[in-house]
Each structure stands twice: as C-alpha cells, then as structure tokens.
C-alpha cells in the first residue's frame, strides 16, 4: 500500500500537469503511454505464443497511429486499414520461411486498437470547444469507481462479481463504484454549469458517469482476463505498487473514447 500511495503522489501530479499543458506535452504523454503499454502487451502475449510478436514492429505501427491521430483524426480509419494490411503482409512474409502465425497477427492488430487508439483519444478533446473541461471527467469516473469499489467491497462485499476472472471483486463493490461515479460526475457537471456556464442538462452527467463506470469496470476485467489467460500477475513493473501502465490504465482505456464520444455529440447538440 505504501508503494501505491507513493507512486500516486508522484505520478498523478505529473499526469495531470501534462493533461493541463496539452498540445505537444499531451502528445508526448500519449506516445510514452502507448509505447510502454504496447511493450507490456507484447510481452504478455509472448508468454504463450510460440512465435513471438515483434516488439519493434508493433511499436512502429503504434507510433504511426498516435502521430496520425494527432495530425488528423479522420485519417485514423485509413491508418488502421493500412496497419491491418501491414500486419498480415508481415505474417505472409514470415510464411515464406515457415514462421507465420495468423493468431499472432490477430493479437498484434488487437493490441494496436486496444492501446494507441484508445490512449490517442486523450488528444482529441483539444479539438472540441471547451473539450478540456470534459477530459477531466475520464479521471473523475475512473478514480471514483476504483476508490468506491475498493472500500465498499472491503466493507460489505460478500458475493463475488466474476470469481473466475478477478476473485477479489464483489457485486457490492461494483455497485458502489457505479453510484460514486454517477454522483461525482453529476457534481462536476454542476460545477461546469455554475462556474464555466456549460449548457448540458445535469442528468446527462449522471448518465455518462454511470455508463463510464460500467465501461471502466469492464476494461479492468478484460485486462484481468488477459493476465489470467497468459498466466501472469501484472503486465509490468514500471509503477511500484500498481504494476505496469496497463495495470493502472486498464479501466481508463475504456472510459476515454466513451467520454469523448459523449462530449463530441453532447456539445454538438447543446
């Protein structure tokens, strides 16, 4: 617990500082998060793969995806199609030497969507009017869900939520996370309305808080499924007390694009 707290004390201000600075500082943060995340992901997959994912190959494609998202979001889909073609052309070339593995290709492409595409959505809030105000909702939802789920689960959690995926999570903890995220996101919405004069209806914040919390908990459980399947405890060790980047950001990855879509459409209709 002491290591977790110390890492949070040091890491959270740095992360929030980069988010606040925005621009190329935020871009650099997304590059680093994606690069480390892909390294951890490839390492986890390679535990079980006979023919390993090329870390250099997946990192190059991940960097290209992040750069494209920074320069032109609408070029993301063509970039993903090119990445898909590149991944399986790579497998075909490997097949000349009898080293192809279609499953490796599938896992490589999945990693590119899972990590750089989802992290890259952090940069897209800057393209929206007052989008930075809504970027903070990602972390309000994630942290309130995690904190409430932990303490409620410890206090009254009896029935396991998904024991074969994550034995420590309880239904009570999950519900506590949903309630906390809805309440705190609504309070943040009141702040936006009263201080920054945003015009979205208050109930919309409760809805995105609830749905975002569901998505975040699913992101956490999906990461746990991967780790259990690969037979590992953590994706990495770069964050003492937390594990790796994917261990800390597993829920946030699912919340980022959801809040972006909400913000994009909600502000467009406001």
């Amino acid at each position: 617990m002491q290591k977790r707290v110390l890492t949070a004390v040091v890491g959270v201000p740095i992360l929030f500082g980069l988010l606040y600075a925005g621009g190329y500082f935020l871009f650099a943060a997304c590059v680093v998060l994606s690069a480390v995340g892909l390294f951890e992901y490839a390492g986890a997959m390679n535990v079980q793969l006979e023919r390993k994912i090329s870390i250099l190959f997946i990192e190059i494609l991940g960097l290209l995806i992040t750069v494209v998202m920074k320069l032109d979001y609408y070029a993301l889909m063509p970039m993903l199609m090119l990445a898909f073609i590149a991944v399986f052309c790579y497998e075909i070339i490997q097949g000349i030497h009898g080293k192809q593995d279609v499953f490796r290709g599938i896992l490589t492409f999945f990693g590119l969507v899972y990590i750089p595409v989802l992290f890259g959505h952090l940069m897209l809030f800057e393209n929206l009017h007052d989008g930075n105000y809504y970027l903070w909702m990602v972390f309000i939802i994630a942290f309130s869900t995690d904190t409430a789920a932990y303490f409620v689960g410890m206090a009254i959690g009896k029935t396991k939520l998904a024991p074969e995926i994550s034995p420590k999570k309880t239904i009570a903890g999950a519900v506590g996370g949903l309630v906390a995220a809805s309440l705190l996101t609504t309070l943040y919405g009141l702040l936006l309305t009263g201080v920054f004069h945003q015009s979205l209806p208050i109930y919309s914040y409760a809805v995105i808080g609830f749905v975002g919390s569901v998505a975040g908990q699913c992101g956490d459980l999906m990461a746990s499924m991967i780790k259990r399947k690969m037979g590992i405890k953590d994706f990495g060790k770069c964050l003492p007390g937390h594990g790796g980047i994917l261990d800390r950001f597993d829920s946030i990855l699912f919340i980022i694009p959801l809040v972006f879509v909400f913000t994009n459409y909600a502000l467009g209709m406001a």
Side-chain angles (χ1 to χ4, degrees), residues 68-69 72-84 109:
V68 165
M69 293 187 73
D72 183 6
Y73 174 64
Y74 293 102
L76 174 60
M77 187 57 67
M79 180 64 226
L80 284 176
M81 288 189 290
L82 290 174
F84 180 81
F109 186 72

Side-chain angles (χ1 to χ4, degrees), residues 25-216:
F25 290 100
L26 181 55
F27 169 69
C30 288
V31 168
V32 172
L33 289 171
S34 295
V36 177
L38 284 172
F39 180 83
E40 294 174 352
Y41 172 82
M45 296 301 106
N46 286 343
V47 170
Q48 297 290 343
L49 285 175
E50 181 180 353
R51 296 188 171 95
K52 312 302 183 185
I53 292 174
S54 169
I55 292 177
L56 177 61
F57 181 58
I58 198 173
E59 291 284 9
I60 290 173
L61 289 176
L63 176 60
L64 289 173
I65 288 171
T66 306
V67 170
V68 165
M69 293 187 73
K70 173 64 176 176
L71 297 177
D72 183 6
Y73 174 64
Y74 293 102
L76 174 60
M77 187 57 67
M79 180 64 226
L80 284 176
M81 288 189 290
L82 290 174
F84 180 81
I85 292 169
V87 166
F88 286 97
C89 283
Y90 174 84
E91 292 301 336
I92 290 168
I93 292 170
Q94 292 295 305
I96 296 173
H97 307 288
K99 297 180 180 180
Q100 78 282 357
D101 188 342
V102 68
F103 190 51
R104 175 178 59 187
I106 293 169
L107 290 176
T108 300
F109 186 72
F110 173 80
L112 293 171
V113 175
Y114 177 39
I115 300 169
V117 171
L118 298 190
F119 269 132
H121 276 76
L122 286 172
M123 300 181 291
L124 303 183
F125 284 87
E126 294 187 319
N127 299 332
L128 304 176
H129 178 66
D130 291 334
N132 287 338
Y133 293 147
Y134 293 89
L135 171 59
W136 299 106
M137 287 201 305
V138 171
F139 300 93
I140 291 171
I141 293 170
F143 294 156
S144 61
T145 298
D146 288 350
T147 303
Y150 176 78
F151 285 108
V152 172
M154 288 283 290
I156 60 174
K158 301 293 183 182
T159 306
K160 301 299 181 182
L161 177 64
E164 294 186 2
I165 299 175
S166 185
K168 294 183 179 180
K169 288 182 170 52
T170 64
I171 293 177
V175 172
L178 293 172
V179 172
S182 300
L183 289 176
L184 287 178
T185 307
T186 301
L187 289 175
Y188 184 67
L190 290 171
L191 175 67
L192 290 180
T193 301
V195 178
F196 299 105
H197 308 295
Q198 300 300 304
S199 58
L200 298 183
I202 295 302
Y203 71 82
S204 66
Y205 295 103
V207 171
I208 189 59
F210 182 88
V211 176
S213 181
V214 171

